[in-house]
Amino acid sequence: MDYIIEMCNITKKFPGVIANDDVTLRLKKGEIHALLGENGAGKSTLMSILFGMYQPDQGVIKKNGEVVKINDPNDANRLGIGMVHQHFKLVQNFTVLENIILGVETTKHGMLKMDEARARVLELSERYGLRVDPDALIEDITVSMQQRVEILKMLYRSNEILIFDEPTAVLTPQEIEELMKIMKGLVSEGKSILFITHKLNEIKAVADRCTVLRKGKCIGTVDVASVSKEELSEMMVGRKVDLIVEKENKEPGKVIFEVENLTVKDRATGKNVVNNVSLNVRAGEIVCIAGVDGNGQSELVYALTGLITPDDGKIRLNGNDITKASIRQRNIGGIGHIPEDRQRYGLVLDYNLAYNLVLQSYFTPRFQKHGFLKYSEIYKYADELIDKFDIRSGQGARTITRSMSGGNQQKAIIAREIDRDPDLLIAVQPTRGLDVGAIEYIYKKLIAERNKGRGILLVSLELDEVMNVSDRILVIYEGEIVAELDPKTTTVQELGLYMAGSKRGIVA
Amino acid sequence: MDTIYFLVQQMMYFSIPLLVVALGGMFSERSGVTNIALEGIMIIGAFTGILFINMFQGMLPGQPILILAIIIAAATGIIVSLTHAFASINMKADQVISGTAINMFAPAFAIYVARMIRTVQQIPFVNQFRIEKVPVLGDIPLLGGLFFRNAYITTYLGFAILIISWVVLYKTRFGLRLRACGEHPQAADSVGINVYKMRYIGVAISGALAGIGGLIFVIPTSTNFNATVAGYGFLALAVLIFGQWNPFKILLAAFFFGLMKTIASAYSGIPVLSALDIPNEVYKMIPYIATLIVLAFTSKNSQAPKAEGIPYDKGSR
Amino acid sequence: MNISIKRFLSSEGVANFASSLMAIIIGLLVGLLILLVSNPRQALNGFGAILFGGFTDMKNLGQVFYFATPIILTGLSVGFANKAGQFNIGASGQFIVGAFAAVYVGVKWTFLPGALHWGVALIMAMLAGALWGLIPGILKAFYNVNVVISCIMMNYIGMYLVNVLVTNTVFDSLKNQSQRVASTAVIPKMGLDNIFRAGNSPSSVNAGIFIAIIAGIIIYIIVEKTQFGFELKACGLNPDASKYAGINSHRTIIISMMIAGALSGLGGALLYLAGSGKSIEVLDVLAPEGFNGIPVALLGQGNPIGIIFAGIFVAYLTVGGFNMQLFNFVPQVTEIIIAVIIYFSAFALLFKDFIRSHYAKDEDKLTKTRPVSQGSLGGDK
């Protein structure tokens, strides 16, 4: 067979976890080969091994049938392997050109030969339809432009085997389509592509074959054309998955939360990153803010939770104006907040679980007296929550939070926020990076809260989540709410068009 | 006019060491390693350099002995800086702590060695290094008086280091890679650049330049070395920030700070300033206060290398 | 090995203590090496002087407490700010402005009666120190200025300012230093000088050591038992999450820097009001006591009670260093040893990991608590 790269029986162990367990992956020349798996299935580890960033404990890598040793990214580069990392590896205050040549610079008398490099980059971008300005600074160009720079980096190095690690997470549906075209174009020029993803639609759209990983083990390699999405999904998760959430109809109650003409300006550019946003959330409904990452969702949430002061507009909770209230006042007043990056914003990782569980309530009379903390009360309460929310950890309430799994960390945040009985719960990408079990748990909790009559504002980037969980969808595009949709009557395609800004609706 | 010549000549004595040391700090910080050990490294560099001059003075003519002393100061500066590099890069230690240790070690070591071998801690030397007038250039009107009389070769060395630093940082492969390591070491690593090696080199350059800076600070301003460089290492750190990690802005900052130092030490000789009757401590304070003000205005939008002070861990990509 | 012993050995406190001990041992070995190189015949005697000098007689022991007093306070200052995530390298400046405030009150405010005089002097010193901590605190909180850099600037501004102020207010021009304070401003001896003395020669120890110890206990209570301590540590460990949780991080950072400054200022007052004849000299030299707070805080691993012992230990080495002069050694060896100790304290993390991985391995298999860390999985987030 004509395999350009073979990774045979790769095993890689990290302390306490087997990231890859006897995994075999074979890439044919000129194909797009998808690598499918849940978060933590070992996809990135496998690709890091191929790219020379880790050494496998067992197994060999072959190129064109010959065993090769890849000790570092330089070796990978020499073998023609290039990678677009999930988090771009670009120096922000360097130009596009500088980023492309970094590591493979050509020099004359010790000085960089920039002109030659520029000509080559222009030629490549012409040939592959990847138009970029070589002299623009990375910090000034869009995310999809940055991705093109990453692709150009590989082409500049004449790489033959291109690894794309979750390349679509940061793109709009239109940009995704564009990327798919570029990938097909690259393959037709003779390149071979490894495409890491957990999105089945994209695999169906571009991939020829697909290798599935689950919990570090290789489940199998299939021809994409011969399997259905459902079959792929079952291979990935290990059981039939039905993330269509059970949810009874419920008539929403009174308005809990109102936002009127909210505007937030970017400090540096003065541009409106949140532009005249008005919305409301009623008791017993889940309102979802849908949109592609970076369209003002973060800033909107910052303004709602008090992390930044809006430049204009009003925010009312239960009829009270809280536009100028502090974060603490809002928290006490009835807002619960599940932040987007739980490790950075949601938890003090070096505090133990009990401390994190009282992070929003340590100052209440229950846990302190005259400024002194009542530790026995704190631990008693923590034990209650651990029980009630099924939070698993090594040493119970005294476990250092850093040592807990992502799913249990998220459970801790949810326990803390829900148990405070907030009227409004703001949940930002609450399922990001979690496995299916944890995702199901979180959906159940959110719906239970809705059924109890709380208002929930969900910010999500995942179309499936938007469609399945929410009662009402507000689409945000470039800081503006461009449509209000009913998930029962709208389609994913339609939603995608609004998210990309190519269609605007009438906002109620 | 003579006053101005005098002021500029004096200013060079203060500004050039600041320039050289701050440029050293720039290389370290641009590679991603904070180096508050500049003060300590200056002391060690000055100590070994002056000790060498003290021992060999008279055996060799002036300028060659100075050049040899500069080489020795640079070499010892590199050796000391490598301990900082080891702690910061391999051990992933807190870089401020390791820098503090060196700052504490240096004067104690200089005094200890001086007293063990000479019984007193001061090391005297004869200043035979001043150039009264550079042939030909010293006669150029204006410029000659400003830069080519009562000068030291170290002044020209300082300017040479400035220009070389700029070229190296912005025009060479090494500079591009060094800056990448200080901004985004993961990116550098992913294209096969050895981040540890680049950082070692960055710190070593800072060691060499700080060592030189220590020596060329002591030579024009004193006749003996007393295990101190009067806080110039910390002042150079301020120059570096004031100059926003950019070679030519660092030059301007070094001139400004040098001017303030000059005024503080010589204001009684300047009629306008002596009439004002401001205590000289005020002039000494100005560079530090100015730095604080600049920091207050620029820190939210600082040009500091993004990965500065953060140990690079190959595991956390 | 028994599991409970292993758990004990891998516990935080033991790991901290062991890593401090390791740094101390390496520091002392380097000291011994230097002595051996410079004078092999006297090296062991000299080293013995460092190790046991503080215990040779009651006067020396008293001197240990006298030297420990200011550095316990600067150590507490550095350690406390560190809990809030700030590296207070500005203890030196805070120390000297505190010292000046105390000396000024001590010399000028003679209208204050007896005990009130030194009491007020201490309070003024704390206020001055707090002001010197407040400025970097504000710059950090509102302008995001790196505290290390602003503190270095504040050290020099403080030193020059005190020089101006001493020269213009309480100057003894003959000695180029500050005037002696009134006897009512001197910290009482509380009979300590009668205990800690060698024959007719008393040591300089005074009630200051008690004040330092009490300060340590108060700081311990603030950090470990109070709501403010909880907020402070949260800010130090994760400022973003603290902000999300509604903790006013600006306020917390500013207050913690003020308290840190007040502690250093108090240290300055206790040294210059000790009645040992020490005055503020008008020199362009930063107060070393401030920098000595850094090793004290490191060796104490940030724990206020640990800092009290660490301060006494460093003072003990200092007194030992003076004793070493009997054998014609230069006392700077002590400073070299302390510098080496600081350097290796910076490796504390490595030591701790080593200890943990050595003793915690078997336990892992039993309790299965090992994290599936994001980093080791190659960022599959």
Side-chain angles (χ1 to χ4, degrees), chain A residues 171-188:
Chain A
L171 304 179
T172 68
Q174 276 62 32
E175 286 168 340
I176 290 173
E177 226 161 85
E178 188 73 12
L179 176 68
M180 303 274 156
K181 257 186 233 154
I182 292 170
M183 285 167 75
K184 283 180 180 158
L186 289 167
V187 171
S188 70

Side-chain angles (χ1 to χ4, degrees), chain C residues 286-332:
Chain C
L286 294 177
E289 290 83 1
F291 292 103
N292 280 327
I294 296 170
V296 171
L298 285 171
L299 285 181
Q301 300 276 352
N303 179 318
I305 307 301
I307 286 171
I308 295 172
F309 287 104
I312 292 170
F313 172 75
V314 170
Y316 181 83
L317 285 187
T318 310
V319 172
F322 291 139
N323 278 23
M324 212 173 46
Q325 285 169 290
L326 293 173
F327 304 99
N328 285 325
F329 282 110
V330 182
Q332 267 73 21

Side-chain angles (χ1 to χ4, degrees), chain A residues 14-15 19 39-40 44-45 54 86 302 307 327-328 331 337 339 343-345 347-348 350-351 355 359-360 362-363 368 371-373 375 394 403, chain C residues 221 224-231 233-234 237-238 240-247 363 368-372 374-381:
Chain A
F14 291 112
N39 290 296
S44 286
T45 305
Y54 297 131
Q86 189 180 0
Y302 295 161
L307 287 156
I327 301 170
R328 170 82 26 105
N331 289 343
H337 181 195
Q343 300 206 330
R344 183 158 168 214
Y345 301 119
L347 296 165
V348 178
D350 294 305
Y351 262 180
Y355 288 12
L359 204 56
Q360 295 276 24
Y362 65 89
F363 51 86
Q368 63 86 25
F372 287 87
L373 294 173
Y375 284 102
S403 72
Chain C
I221 292 169
E224 297 299 333
K225 303 292 176 196
T226 69
Q227 187 182 323
F228 178 72
F230 184 91
E231 293 173 344
K233 285 182 288 181
L237 294 169
N238 186 344
D240 292 318
S242 310
K243 206 175 155 200
Y244 270 61
I247 295 169
E363 206 190 334
K368 199 89 179 105
T369 61
R370 188 74 198 182
V372 180
Q374 298 272 358
S376 62
L377 273 177
D380 201 3
K381 287 181 198 150

Side-chain angles (χ1 to χ4, degrees), chain B residues 23 28 31 33 43 49 72-74 90 95 97 112 142 162 164 195 200 205 213 230 239 243 249 263 266 273 275 293:
Chain B
L23 288 172
S28 174
S31 80
V33 180
I43 289 173
I72 286 168
N90 298 92
Q95 299 171 8
I97 295 175
Y112 182 83
L142 196 63
L162 170 70
I164 294 168
V195 177
Y200 258 98
I205 294 175
V239 167
K249 288 185 188 162
I263 292 174
L273 294 175
I293 293 169

